[in-house]
Amino acid sequence: MEIILYNPLSNKGKNIKIAEKLHKKAIKEERASKIVNLLEIGDVEKFLNGYNEEDRMILIGGDGTLNRVVNQIKGIEIKPQIYMYKAGTGNDFMRSIKSKKHLVDIKPYIQNLPILKVNGKEELFLNGAGVGLDGLVCYNVNTSKESKNKSNYFKNAFKSFMSYKPVSVLIDVDGKVWEENKVWFVTAMNAPYFGGGMKLAPKKLRKLNHLELVVIKKVPRWLIFMIFPTIYLGWHKIFRSFVRFYKGQHIKVSMLTDSYLQRDGEHEYPVREFEVFKNK
């Protein structure tokens, strides 16, 4: 059985057409198939227990959809195969896998994901989580009435650059504690990409058993406009006076002021502290 899962709220509602296309292809090739709306699944564990190793689930969507799914299924044994069809506005997870196939087996990549602890709850994340300018950009993009696209992203990024005030943070990486001032970004990465293709942690691969904390600090406002575009190519590392990378298993960041946090493109506010750590 091929179970095609789609999120009607993702990709401007276009994912149903992709689901129908995959369904027709399966029927044509004489494979049993059905389409399931993710939002209509009530009991997730009961739903998953209805299938076995011979079944294949195809998830249609981007980072936001996959983030919600992995948090809904955490702690549940997954018997079916799980594939993903890239169809969201943010696809940093798929970028990091670097597969040229339309359908990618993602089951190995969603095992033992890192954990974010914030505001009394624990959540898994795929790509990155942090506070600062990236959190404010996500907030402005997510609350904008316009469609999520590159034009809207850059417009809200510019808006965020102009209004964001760098903060002081206390950082703890595996027990080593220090303070940083005038911080623009402090983001823990599990993979290279965030923000729709920005290569914030160029050397961080999913298979590496650590998280990478990226800190961008003490950058004059006029210069941040120059550094920001270089992140798409991973070239921001040349600005050594302003950009720092730290490896760790357990990272804790504290702020004295309320800050915007982003997790795989989803925002949260207010945040004064967050922790990230590798899942055992």
Side-chain angles (χ1 to χ4, degrees):
M1 168 70 74
E2 194 165 273
I3 307 94
I4 303 167
L5 306 167
Y6 78 100
N7 179 359
L9 302 180
S10 174
N11 197 25
K12 303 177 186 177
K14 297 178 182 178
N15 288 348
I16 182 59
K17 294 182 179 180
I18 298 172
E20 290 171 347
K21 179 181 177 181
L22 293 174
H23 176 67
K24 289 179 181 178
K25 181 180 179 182
I27 297 302
K28 185 176 181 180
E29 295 175 356
E30 299 183 344
R31 299 194 310 273
S33 172
K34 70 175 182 178
I35 298 174
V36 177
N37 181 338
L38 282 168
L39 303 184
E40 294 179 351
I41 299 175
D43 188 327
V44 174
E45 185 169 8
K46 181 179 179 181
F47 174 78
L48 291 172
N49 286 338
Y51 302 99
N52 56 42
E53 293 85 353
E54 297 177 354
D55 297 313
R56 180 170 78 160
M57 292 187 172
I58 299 176
L59 178 64
I60 302 172
D63 295 330
T65 298
L66 183 56
N67 183 288
R68 293 185 184 92
V69 169
V70 297
N71 276 285
Q72 287 177 332
I73 66 176
K74 65 181 178 182
I76 302 174
E77 181 185 2
I78 310 299
K79 296 178 182 178
Q81 306 167 57
I82 303 179
Y83 282 74
M84 189 163 189
Y85 187 100
K86 183 174 67 176
T89 52
N91 294 291
D92 291 318
F93 175 83
M94 294 290 274
R95 282 188 184 90
S96 69
I97 295 176
K98 295 181 179 179
S99 174
K100 295 182 179 180
K101 298 179 180 179
H102 292 295
L103 285 177
V104 179
D105 179 4
I106 64 170
K107 197 170 183 178
Y109 300 100
I110 60 175
Q111 310 284 333
N112 301 317
L113 288 170
I115 297 170
L116 164 69
K117 188 175 181 180
V118 62
N119 289 341
K121 58 183 182 295
E122 292 187 359
E123 299 172 310
L124 302 177
F125 67 97
L126 302 161
N127 307 310
V131 297
L133 179 59
D134 53 336
L136 180 58
V137 172
C138 287
Y139 167 78
N140 284 328
V141 170
N142 293 339
T143 57
S144 171
K145 294 181 180 180
E146 299 180 28
S147 300
K148 287 187 178 182
N149 53 42
K150 289 185 177 180
S151 174
N152 188 29
Y153 181 83
F154 279 109
K155 183 173 73 174
N156 281 288
F158 181 80
K159 174 183 175 181
S160 302
F161 290 154
M162 298 305 295
S163 64
Y164 182 73
K165 295 180 180 180
V167 299
S168 294
V169 300
L170 189 67
I171 299 173
D172 181 337
V173 177
D174 293 341
K176 182 179 179 180
V177 183
W178 73 97
E179 185 178 357
E180 295 283 12
N181 298 309
K182 298 180 180 180
V183 172
W184 288 84
F185 286 84
V186 55
T187 304
M189 299 295 292
N190 185 48
Y193 301 99
F194 87 146
M198 300 178 74
K199 206 170 185 179
L200 188 66
K203 295 183 178 181
K204 177 63 180 82
L205 303 177
R206 290 190 178 277
K207 64 181 180 181
L208 298 177
N209 190 35
H210 67 263
L211 295 169
E212 189 155 310
L213 187 72
V214 184
V215 180
I216 300 181
K217 59 179 183 176
K218 298 180 180 178
V219 186
R221 194 173 297 273
W222 65 269
L223 185 56
I224 197 72
F225 285 95
M226 296 178 61
I227 293 178
F228 191 75
T230 69
I231 300 176
Y232 279 94
L233 299 173
W235 292 354
H236 57 296
K237 59 186 178 181
I238 68 174
F239 297 94
R240 296 179 181 178
S241 298
F242 309 116
V243 183
R244 291 283 190 272
F245 300 88
Y246 305 93
K247 297 177 182 178
Q249 296 286 324
H250 191 160
I251 298 168
K252 183 177 180 179
V253 179
S254 305
M255 293 75 61
L256 293 176
T257 57
D258 291 341
S259 299
Y260 289 91
L261 176 139
Q262 70 82 20
R263 169 181 56 91
D264 293 338
E266 300 299 316
H267 69 273
E268 182 160 344
Y269 181 88
V271 171
R272 289 286 185 105
E273 179 179 286
F274 74 92
E275 290 181 67
V276 291
F277 47 93
K278 295 293 289 185
N279 201 350
K280 300 297 183 180

